[in-house]
Amino acid sequence: MKIGFFDSGIGGLTVLSEALKRLPNHEYLYYADTQHAPYGPKPKEEVREYVFKAIEFLVNEGCQIIVIACNTATSIAVSELRQKYSIPIIGMEPAVKPAIESVENSTKRVLVTATPLTLKEEKLKQLIQRLDKHHQTDLLPLPDLVRFAESYEFSDEAILPYLKQCLQSFDISAYGAVVLGCTHFPLFSHHFEKIFSSEVRLIDGSSGTVSHLEKLILAQKVEPCFNASLTFYRSSKKLESSQEIEPFTKILKQLKAI
C-alpha cells in the first residue's frame, strides 16, 4: 500500500510516527509544504490552493490512501477533496471528543489549542457546540509554536516564556485536559507538562487518525509490503541526500518511530 502523508511542514511527522510504529510494512510518502508554511496565519483561499496542489501531487505519485496530517488543511479542504478524488482521504481534527469526555464528570475545563485558522473554522465550532453540553471548553491560538517547530527551536528558554505569556489570562488550575489541536504541538508536549499539573491530560488526534488508517487498510485486504519505504518531499521536490532528509529523520528518531 502506498500511503501519502501531507502537512504544511514537520508537524505531520507526529502522525506519521504513529503509523510507522503500528503499520510499518507499507510505502510512505511524506509531503511537507515548507515553501508555504505556516498555514495558520494565511488567508483561507490561499491555503486551500496549496492543499489542493499537494494532494494532486500525491495522487499523481500513486498514493492509494492520503492522510492530511494537518488540522488547518483538513478544516478548510477535506470535504472538497473527498468529492474530487475516489481514493480515501483521512483528515485531522482537534481531539475535542476524548478531551470533553475526560472532564464530563468533574468541574474541570478543556483548553483547545490550535492555529488561528483552525479555531476560526465553523467545523470546529459546530463540533464543540455539539459535544460540550456544559460549556467547559476554551480556545487558545498558539501560532508561534508552528514557527518554532519549523525552525527546530525546542529549547525551554524560547518555548516556556511564549506559552506562559499566551496563558497569562487563563487559570491554569481550572483545566483537566488540553487538546493539542495542531500536529506540530505534540512536539512541545514536555513544555506543556512543565506548565500544567501532571493530572492534566494532553490529548492529540494522532492515535485516532492512525486507527482510521488501519481500518481502511484492513478493509482493502492489502498484503504486507516487505520492501517498506519512506520518501520525503518538500513542496513537490523529492529529497535525495542524507543532509536534506536528516531534519525529518531527526524528529522521527525523537518520536521513537525509526
Side-chain angles (χ1 to χ4, degrees):
M1 175 69 74
K2 187 179 282 192
I3 303 166
F5 271 73
F6 161 70
D7 182 43
S8 61
I10 66 169
L13 295 174
T14 60
V15 191
L16 176 63
S17 67
E18 185 77 11
L20 291 172
K21 292 171 190 174
R22 290 167 55 180
L23 305 165
N25 298 318
H26 297 284
E27 290 182 71
Y28 288 97
L29 281 65
Y30 185 87
Y31 185 116
D33 193 18
T34 52
Q35 183 180 340
H36 304 112
Y39 283 174
K42 289 184 168 62
K44 183 176 176 178
E45 292 304 320
E46 182 181 342
V47 173
R48 180 185 279 111
E49 184 178 335
Y50 298 147
V51 175
F52 267 76
K53 182 179 178 181
I55 301 307
E56 182 179 19
F57 177 88
L58 289 172
V59 170
N60 289 339
E61 287 295 310
C63 290
Q64 296 151 281
I65 297 178
I66 292 176
V67 178
I68 302 179
C70 174
N71 291 272
T72 300
T74 298
S75 66
I76 65 173
V78 72
S79 297
E80 294 171 70
L81 288 166
R82 286 170 177 160
Q83 291 175 5
K84 181 174 181 179
Y85 296 106
S86 58
I87 66 169
I89 297 178
I90 301 171
M92 297 283 300
E93 64 179 17
V96 173
K97 187 173 187 290
I100 290 176
E101 287 174 349
S102 74
V103 303
E104 62 185 357
N105 294 319
S106 72
T107 58
K108 293 292 186 179
R109 301 186 63 78
V110 170
L111 183 63
V112 179
T113 66
T115 66
L117 195 51
T118 297
L119 295 180
K120 286 177 188 174
E121 279 301 296
E122 197 61 34
K123 183 179 180 182
L124 177 61
K125 293 176 184 176
Q126 290 175 359
L127 178 67
I128 293 172
Q129 187 176 20
R130 186 172 74 249
L131 297 172
D132 186 11
K133 305 301 182 186
H134 303 291
H135 308 290
Q136 294 171 272
T137 304
D138 300 311
L139 307 179
L140 176 62
L142 293 172
D144 282 0
L145 284 189
V146 177
R147 180 176 61 81
F148 284 129
E150 293 301 323
S151 301
Y152 294 87
E153 174 58 83
F154 299 106
S155 69
D156 285 358
E157 292 75 18
I159 309 305
L160 290 178
Y162 171 69
L163 288 178
K164 289 175 180 177
Q165 179 185 11
C166 293
L167 287 160
Q168 62 186 354
S169 62
F170 293 81
D171 177 7
I172 299 297
S173 65
Y175 294 97
V178 176
V179 177
L180 305 179
C182 168
T183 54
H184 288 78
F185 291 4
L187 296 171
F188 301 95
S189 292
H190 62 289
H191 297 99
F192 283 92
E193 288 168 356
K194 290 181 178 180
I195 292 176
F196 288 90
S197 159
S198 60
E199 297 175 357
V200 176
R201 290 188 62 194
L202 301 179
I203 302 173
D204 70 79
S206 297
S207 180
T209 300
V210 174
S211 292
H212 188 186
L213 173 62
E214 188 171 22
K215 288 177 184 175
L216 287 174
I217 292 172
L218 288 172
Q220 296 190 28
K221 299 179 180 178
V222 177
E223 292 294 326
C225 169
F226 296 104
N227 294 314
S229 62
L230 175 55
T231 307
F232 295 100
Y233 299 85
R234 282 188 181 273
S235 302
S236 76
K237 178 185 180 295
K238 184 177 179 180
L239 305 187
E240 304 279 5
S241 71
S242 57
Q243 184 177 2
E244 290 177 310
I245 294 169
E246 195 268 342
F248 294 94
T249 56
K250 183 179 179 181
I251 296 292
L252 290 174
K253 286 175 183 176
Q254 288 175 358
L255 294 168
K256 297 180 172 58
I258 58 174

